[in-house]
């Protein structure tokens, strides 16, 4: 109860708080403007020295992905065909065994 009374009696100067926030933001912006980002500096040097490899970009990635998909599909079809041939061979053996037993 005593604490709530103290809070209600406090006179807050909103304008002073807003001015302090604006000042802090200006200082932060000035600090960011003068701060040297090591990564940006290294990246700029890297690009300036032309150390980047030409990889072909997204088109090359898409082409490689498509080739890989085709290879995977071929392998899948190959294994399905082999399984089908094995199934047919088993059926032929069963039919031959059944005919042998019938005679």
């Amino acid at each position: 109860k005593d604490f709530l009374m103290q809070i209600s009696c406090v006179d807050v100067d909103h304008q002073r708080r807003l001015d302090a926030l604006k000042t802090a933001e200006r200082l932060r912006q000035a600090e960011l403007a003068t701060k040297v980002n090591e990564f940006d500096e290294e990246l700029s040097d890297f690009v300036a020295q032309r150390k980047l490899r030409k990889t072909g970009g997204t088109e090359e990635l898409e082409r490689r992905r498509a080739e890989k998909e085709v290879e995977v599909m071929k392998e899948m079809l190959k294994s399905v065909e082999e399984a089908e041939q094995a199934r047919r061979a088993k059926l032929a053996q069963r039919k031959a065994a059944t005919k042998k037993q019938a005679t």
Side-chain angles (χ1 to χ4, degrees):
K1 185 177 179 181
D2 201 28
F3 180 70
L4 291 177
M5 286 294 273
Q6 287 178 357
I7 290 175
S8 65
C9 292
V10 171
D11 185 28
V12 179
D13 185 7
H14 296 291
Q15 189 59 42
R16 196 176 92 216
R17 289 184 68 197
L18 288 174
D19 291 341
L21 284 172
K22 287 179 185 175
T23 303
E25 181 62 24
R26 278 195 308 260
L27 288 173
R28 189 177 81 76
Q29 291 296 332
E31 183 181 319
L32 286 175
T34 60
K35 184 178 178 183
V36 175
N37 188 342
E38 292 178 23
F39 176 74
D40 285 340
E41 191 174 301
E42 183 179 345
L43 182 62
S44 297
D45 290 343
F46 191 79
V47 172
Q49 295 173 8
R50 298 189 183 272
K51 290 185 178 179
L52 285 175
R53 292 186 319 193
K54 306 266 185 203
T55 59
T58 56
E59 295 86 12
E60 179 68 16
L61 288 175
E62 284 297 316
R63 186 186 63 77
R64 287 183 185 174
R65 184 193 56 77
E67 286 176 358
K68 193 177 250 185
E69 279 183 4
V70 168
E71 288 178 33
V72 167
M73 287 297 246
K74 285 180 182 177
E75 288 295 319
M76 283 176 37
L77 288 175
K78 184 178 174 183
S79 64
V80 167
E81 287 174 358
E82 288 172 355
E84 182 63 24
Q85 287 175 356
R87 187 184 69 79
R88 286 182 183 160
K90 276 188 178 181
L91 284 175
Q93 286 176 352
R94 286 183 189 164
K95 283 182 181 181
T98 306
K99 283 183 182 180
K100 212 178 212 185
Q101 286 178 354
T103 55

